[in-house]
Amino acid sequence: MSTFEQVQKIIGESLALGDRAERLTPESRLFGDIPEFDSMAVLTVVTSLEDHFDIVFDDEDISEENFADVACLVALVESKRQAA
Amino acid sequence: MVPDAEVDFAAGYIGGANGPLFVVQVGRADPGRLSVLLLPPFAEEMNCSRRFLVGLARRLSAVGCCVFLLDYYGTGDSGGRFADATPDRWRGDVAAVHDRLTAHFDRPPAWVGVRLGASLGALSASTVARPPSALVLIQPVTSGRSFLTQFLRLGLVSALAGGRREGPKDLLARSVAGETVRVAGYDLAPAMVSALQALDLATAMPPPATRLVWYELVRDIAADPPRRLRPPSAWGAAAPIERLLESEPFWSIQEPQVPATVLDAVCEDLAALDRSWVGR
């Protein structure tokens, strides 16, 4: 499973999106295209990504740029995995 | 007035050390029934768990239990302000309601706690005069420090939605300086922050005679990596029965979740207690 597919699955599970998770693309905007994506949801996704990939996000990583769309989030995860 | 043996559903107040505690009773409070006290989690996790707790109360009452859902001091309809709440005050609330139920029913209530509620239960079980009949811990918070850091991250996350950007370090610094910090709409007093930082489940000493059950929830048992959440080894003789359940972590999902696997497990564990009690 690619990193994108894993991130897509984690977002879907964390937000209980059901079948809608499959419609997420790299270009899907997190704030805007997903109504469930509020502050608590972001925190849940962040924690789930850390647990799943065994990575730790720094405070600076939780930024508007990294959470702009799914592709940005996937890039962040991949950079943290490489650094680990 | 709760407990009430005449009605199937009641809501009222029980006197706590710091003010009235709002309690919902589900099921008739016949003294011979097994009573169950539900201990909710913290802040937003409590909101996300509300539907589950109500579902659990209904399910347990359907199998003959009398269930009590407590609002801690400063939360829900209980007295006080969240800004004045501390885990110690909440442990006092648990003890006050427990003592009231112990006086009414033939035996002490069983406790079912979720996340921080489970931790408060584990820390309090040995401090009440008559220990709870059982203690079911649903994914307890093992380290208050890590838990608090995660919660304070909401200060970073809210900045993504246009709010003020403050990370855990900034918020902790303000708290140490004596300020009450607001995170996700919750006012955390310095006493709350320092108490959460100091909370360590390993320091709990659950009474050995209490049936102790520990649940870890995973989304996909077959796919998920090996479990990492284990009871503290320091518990020794009080080592709990451990169950790995396939379920959504309902306390972290805004869309209400009432996982049947967890309801079934709690019913089964308390039914086992009831059988053993009846057999004595």
Side-chain angles (χ1 to χ4, degrees), chain B residues 89-125:
Chain B
R89 277 196 165 163
W90 289 346
R91 287 178 57 190
D93 297 344
V94 174
V97 176
H98 173 83
D99 290 345
R100 177 76 186 87
L101 300 182
T102 299
H104 177 86
F105 290 91
D106 292 349
R107 56 189 147 150
W111 297 355
V112 179
V114 178
R115 304 281 291 140
L116 188 71
S119 310
L120 297 176
L123 288 160
S124 303

Short mmCIF file of all heavy atoms in Angstrom, two decimals, chain B residues 89-125:
data_model
loop_
_atom_site.label_atom_id
_atom_site.label_comp_id
_atom_site.label_asym_id
_atom_site.label_seq_id
_atom_site.Cartn_x
_atom_site.Cartn_y
_atom_site.Cartn_z
N ARG B 89 -10.25 16.69 42.52
CA ARG B 89 -11.66 17.01 42.79
C ARG B 89 -12.55 15.96 42.14
O ARG B 89 -13.54 15.53 42.72
CB ARG B 89 -12.01 18.39 42.24
CG ARG B 89 -11.62 19.49 43.18
CD ARG B 89 -12.32 20.80 42.83
NE ARG B 89 -12.19 21.70 43.98
CZ ARG B 89 -12.37 22.99 43.93
NH1 ARG B 89 -12.73 23.58 42.80
NH2 ARG B 89 -12.23 23.74 45.00
N TRP B 90 -12.21 15.56 40.93
CA TRP B 90 -13.03 14.58 40.22
C TRP B 90 -12.96 13.22 40.92
O TRP B 90 -13.95 12.49 40.97
CB TRP B 90 -12.58 14.47 38.76
CG TRP B 90 -12.94 15.70 37.96
CD1 TRP B 90 -13.81 16.69 38.33
CD2 TRP B 90 -12.44 16.06 36.67
NE1 TRP B 90 -13.88 17.64 37.33
CE2 TRP B 90 -13.05 17.29 36.32
CE3 TRP B 90 -11.53 15.49 35.79
CZ2 TRP B 90 -12.79 17.94 35.10
CZ3 TRP B 90 -11.27 16.12 34.59
CH2 TRP B 90 -11.90 17.34 34.25
N ARG B 91 -11.80 12.90 41.46
CA ARG B 91 -11.70 11.64 42.21
C ARG B 91 -12.59 11.71 43.46
O ARG B 91 -13.22 10.73 43.85
CB ARG B 91 -10.25 11.37 42.60
CG ARG B 91 -9.39 10.94 41.42
CD ARG B 91 -7.95 10.74 41.81
NE ARG B 91 -7.83 9.75 42.89
CZ ARG B 91 -6.71 9.53 43.56
NH1 ARG B 91 -5.62 10.22 43.26
NH2 ARG B 91 -6.67 8.62 44.49
N GLY B 92 -12.65 12.90 44.05
CA GLY B 92 -13.54 13.09 45.19
C GLY B 92 -15.01 12.92 44.78
O GLY B 92 -15.81 12.35 45.52
N ASP B 93 -15.34 13.38 43.56
CA ASP B 93 -16.70 13.21 43.05
C ASP B 93 -17.03 11.73 42.88
O ASP B 93 -18.13 11.28 43.24
CB ASP B 93 -16.85 13.89 41.67
CG ASP B 93 -16.63 15.39 41.73
OD1 ASP B 93 -16.68 15.95 42.84
OD2 ASP B 93 -16.42 15.99 40.66
N VAL B 94 -16.10 10.99 42.32
CA VAL B 94 -16.31 9.55 42.11
C VAL B 94 -16.56 8.88 43.46
O VAL B 94 -17.49 8.07 43.61
CB VAL B 94 -15.09 8.92 41.40
CG1 VAL B 94 -15.23 7.39 41.32
CG2 VAL B 94 -14.91 9.50 40.00
N ALA B 95 -15.75 9.24 44.45
CA ALA B 95 -15.88 8.62 45.77
C ALA B 95 -17.22 8.98 46.40
O ALA B 95 -17.88 8.13 47.02
CB ALA B 95 -14.72 9.07 46.67
N ALA B 96 -17.66 10.25 46.23
CA ALA B 96 -18.93 10.67 46.84
C ALA B 96 -20.11 9.90 46.25
O ALA B 96 -20.98 9.42 46.97
CB ALA B 96 -19.12 12.18 46.62
N VAL B 97 -20.12 9.77 44.93
CA VAL B 97 -21.23 9.05 44.28
C VAL B 97 -21.14 7.55 44.62
O VAL B 97 -22.15 6.90 44.89
CB VAL B 97 -21.21 9.28 42.75
CG1 VAL B 97 -22.30 8.46 42.06
CG2 VAL B 97 -21.41 10.76 42.45
N HIS B 98 -19.92 7.04 44.63
CA HIS B 98 -19.72 5.62 44.98
C HIS B 98 -20.28 5.33 46.38
O HIS B 98 -20.99 4.34 46.59
CB HIS B 98 -18.23 5.30 44.92
CG HIS B 98 -17.89 3.93 45.41
ND1 HIS B 98 -17.99 2.80 44.62
CD2 HIS B 98 -17.46 3.48 46.62
CE1 HIS B 98 -17.64 1.74 45.31
NE2 HIS B 98 -17.31 2.12 46.54
N ASP B 99 -19.94 6.19 47.33
CA ASP B 99 -20.41 5.96 48.71
C ASP B 99 -21.93 6.01 48.79
O ASP B 99 -22.55 5.23 49.51
CB ASP B 99 -19.79 7.00 49.66
CG ASP B 99 -18.30 6.78 49.86
OD1 ASP B 99 -17.81 5.69 49.51
OD2 ASP B 99 -17.62 7.70 50.35
N ARG B 100 -22.52 6.94 48.04
CA ARG B 100 -23.98 7.06 48.04
C ARG B 100 -24.60 5.77 47.47
O ARG B 100 -25.59 5.26 48.01
CB ARG B 100 -24.38 8.28 47.20
CG ARG B 100 -25.88 8.49 47.06
CD ARG B 100 -26.46 9.06 48.33
NE ARG B 100 -27.93 9.12 48.25
CZ ARG B 100 -28.75 8.11 48.58
NH1 ARG B 100 -28.26 6.97 49.02
NH2 ARG B 100 -30.05 8.25 48.48
N LEU B 101 -24.04 5.26 46.40
CA LEU B 101 -24.58 4.04 45.78
C LEU B 101 -24.32 2.82 46.65
O LEU B 101 -25.16 1.92 46.76
CB LEU B 101 -23.97 3.84 44.38
CG LEU B 101 -24.23 4.97 43.37
CD1 LEU B 101 -23.62 4.64 42.01
CD2 LEU B 101 -25.74 5.23 43.21
N THR B 102 -23.16 2.80 47.30
CA THR B 102 -22.84 1.67 48.18
C THR B 102 -23.83 1.60 49.34
O THR B 102 -24.23 0.51 49.78
CB THR B 102 -21.39 1.83 48.72
OG1 THR B 102 -20.50 1.83 47.61
CG2 THR B 102 -21.01 0.69 49.64
N ALA B 103 -24.26 2.79 49.81
CA ALA B 103 -25.23 2.82 50.92
C ALA B 103 -26.61 2.35 50.47
O ALA B 103 -27.38 1.81 51.25
CB ALA B 103 -25.32 4.25 51.47
N HIS B 104 -26.91 2.54 49.18
CA HIS B 104 -28.26 2.20 48.68
C HIS B 104 -28.37 0.74 48.23
O HIS B 104 -29.38 0.08 48.50
CB HIS B 104 -28.61 3.13 47.53
CG HIS B 104 -29.94 2.83 46.89
ND1 HIS B 104 -31.13 3.33 47.37
CD2 HIS B 104 -30.27 2.03 45.83
CE1 HIS B 104 -32.13 2.88 46.63
NE2 HIS B 104 -31.63 2.08 45.68
N PHE B 105 -27.34 0.26 47.52
CA PHE B 105 -27.41 -1.08 46.94
C PHE B 105 -26.80 -2.11 47.90
O PHE B 105 -26.08 -1.76 48.84
CB PHE B 105 -26.67 -1.11 45.60
CG PHE B 105 -27.39 -0.35 44.51
CD1 PHE B 105 -27.12 1.00 44.29
CD2 PHE B 105 -28.35 -0.96 43.72
CE1 PHE B 105 -27.79 1.71 43.31
CE2 PHE B 105 -29.03 -0.26 42.73
CZ PHE B 105 -28.75 1.08 42.53
N ASP B 106 -27.09 -3.39 47.60
CA ASP B 106 -26.60 -4.45 48.48
C ASP B 106 -25.08 -4.61 48.43
O ASP B 106 -24.49 -5.21 49.32
CB ASP B 106 -27.25 -5.79 48.10
CG ASP B 106 -28.75 -5.79 48.39
OD1 ASP B 106 -29.20 -4.85 49.08
OD2 ASP B 106 -29.45 -6.71 47.94
N ARG B 107 -24.50 -4.19 47.34
CA ARG B 107 -23.03 -4.29 47.20
C ARG B 107 -22.53 -3.04 46.48
O ARG B 107 -23.32 -2.34 45.82
CB ARG B 107 -22.66 -5.54 46.40
CG ARG B 107 -23.34 -5.56 45.06
CD ARG B 107 -23.15 -6.87 44.35
NE ARG B 107 -24.33 -7.14 43.56
CZ ARG B 107 -24.32 -7.83 42.44
NH1 ARG B 107 -23.20 -8.37 42.01
NH2 ARG B 107 -25.43 -8.03 41.77
N PRO B 108 -21.25 -2.76 46.58
CA PRO B 108 -20.73 -1.54 45.94
C PRO B 108 -20.89 -1.61 44.42
O PRO B 108 -20.92 -2.70 43.84
CB PRO B 108 -19.24 -1.54 46.32
CG PRO B 108 -19.13 -2.47 47.48
CD PRO B 108 -20.21 -3.49 47.31
N PRO B 109 -20.99 -0.44 43.78
CA PRO B 109 -21.13 -0.45 42.32
C PRO B 109 -19.86 -0.92 41.61
O PRO B 109 -18.77 -0.87 42.18
CB PRO B 109 -21.39 1.02 41.99
CG PRO B 109 -20.81 1.79 43.12
CD PRO B 109 -20.95 0.92 44.33
N ALA B 110 -20.06 -1.40 40.38
CA ALA B 110 -18.92 -1.62 39.49
C ALA B 110 -18.64 -0.29 38.79
O ALA B 110 -19.56 0.51 38.60
CB ALA B 110 -19.26 -2.70 38.46
N TRP B 111 -17.39 -0.05 38.43
CA TRP B 111 -17.05 1.18 37.71
C TRP B 111 -16.61 0.82 36.30
O TRP B 111 -15.84 -0.14 36.11
CB TRP B 111 -15.88 1.91 38.38
CG TRP B 111 -16.12 2.40 39.77
CD1 TRP B 111 -17.29 2.36 40.48
CD2 TRP B 111 -15.16 3.02 40.64
NE1 TRP B 111 -17.11 2.90 41.73
CE2 TRP B 111 -15.82 3.31 41.86
CE3 TRP B 111 -13.81 3.35 40.52
CZ2 TRP B 111 -15.17 3.92 42.94
CZ3 TRP B 111 -13.16 3.95 41.58
CH2 TRP B 111 -13.83 4.24 42.78
N VAL B 112 -17.08 1.61 35.34
CA VAL B 112 -16.60 1.47 33.96
C VAL B 112 -16.08 2.84 33.54
O VAL B 112 -16.85 3.80 33.48
CB VAL B 112 -17.72 1.01 33.00
CG1 VAL B 112 -17.17 0.90 31.56
CG2 VAL B 112 -18.30 -0.34 33.44
N GLY B 113 -14.79 2.95 33.31
CA GLY B 113 -14.18 4.24 32.98
C GLY B 113 -13.63 4.25 31.57
O GLY B 113 -13.14 3.23 31.07
N VAL B 114 -13.74 5.42 30.94
CA VAL B 114 -13.21 5.59 29.59
C VAL B 114 -12.06 6.60 29.65
O VAL B 114 -12.22 7.70 30.20
CB VAL B 114 -14.30 6.11 28.63
CG1 VAL B 114 -13.72 6.33 27.23
CG2 VAL B 114 -15.48 5.15 28.56
N ARG B 115 -10.88 6.21 29.10
CA ARG B 115 -9.72 7.10 29.00
C ARG B 115 -9.35 7.73 30.36
O ARG B 115 -9.06 7.01 31.28
CB ARG B 115 -9.96 8.16 27.92
CG ARG B 115 -10.29 7.56 26.55
CD ARG B 115 -9.06 7.08 25.86
NE ARG B 115 -8.23 8.21 25.48
CZ ARG B 115 -6.89 8.22 25.56
NH1 ARG B 115 -6.25 7.18 26.03
NH2 ARG B 115 -6.20 9.27 25.17
N LEU B 116 -9.44 9.05 30.51
CA LEU B 116 -9.06 9.63 31.80
C LEU B 116 -9.99 9.15 32.91
O LEU B 116 -9.57 8.99 34.05
CB LEU B 116 -9.05 11.16 31.75
CG LEU B 116 -8.48 11.82 33.00
CD1 LEU B 116 -6.97 11.60 33.09
CD2 LEU B 116 -8.79 13.30 33.07
N GLY B 117 -11.23 8.87 32.57
CA GLY B 117 -12.18 8.33 33.56
C GLY B 117 -11.70 6.99 34.09
O GLY B 117 -11.84 6.69 35.29
N ALA B 118 -11.12 6.18 33.21
CA ALA B 118 -10.57 4.89 33.63
C ALA B 118 -9.38 5.10 34.57
O ALA B 118 -9.22 4.40 35.58
CB ALA B 118 -10.16 4.07 32.41
N SER B 119 -8.55 6.08 34.24
CA SER B 119 -7.38 6.36 35.08
C SER B 119 -7.82 6.86 36.46
O SER B 119 -7.26 6.44 37.49
CB SER B 119 -6.48 7.41 34.41
OG SER B 119 -6.24 7.06 33.08
N LEU B 120 -8.81 7.75 36.47
CA LEU B 120 -9.31 8.24 37.77
C LEU B 120 -9.87 7.08 38.58
O LEU B 120 -9.68 7.00 39.80
CB LEU B 120 -10.39 9.30 37.55
CG LEU B 120 -9.98 10.60 36.85
CD1 LEU B 120 -11.19 11.50 36.64
CD2 LEU B 120 -8.92 11.34 37.66
N GLY B 121 -10.55 6.16 37.90
CA GLY B 121 -11.10 5.00 38.58
C GLY B 121 -10.01 4.13 39.18
O GLY B 121 -10.09 3.72 40.35
N ALA B 122 -8.98 3.87 38.39
CA ALA B 122 -7.88 3.02 38.88
C ALA B 122 -7.19 3.67 40.08
O ALA B 122 -6.78 3.00 41.03
CB ALA B 122 -6.88 2.75 37.76
N LEU B 123 -7.06 5.01 40.01
CA LEU B 123 -6.37 5.72 41.10
C LEU B 123 -7.24 5.81 42.35
O LEU B 123 -6.72 5.96 43.46
CB LEU B 123 -5.99 7.13 40.63
CG LEU B 123 -4.83 7.19 39.62
CD1 LEU B 123 -4.84 8.51 38.86
CD2 LEU B 123 -3.49 7.00 40.32
N SER B 124 -8.56 5.74 42.18
CA SER B 124 -9.47 5.95 43.31
C SER B 124 -9.96 4.67 43.95
O SER B 124 -10.45 4.69 45.09
CB SER B 124 -10.70 6.75 42.85
OG SER B 124 -10.32 7.96 42.28
N ALA B 125 -9.86 3.55 43.23
CA ALA B 125 -10.53 2.31 43.69
C ALA B 125 -10.07 1.87 45.07
O ALA B 125 -10.84 1.30 45.84
CB ALA B 125 -10.31 1.21 42.67
#
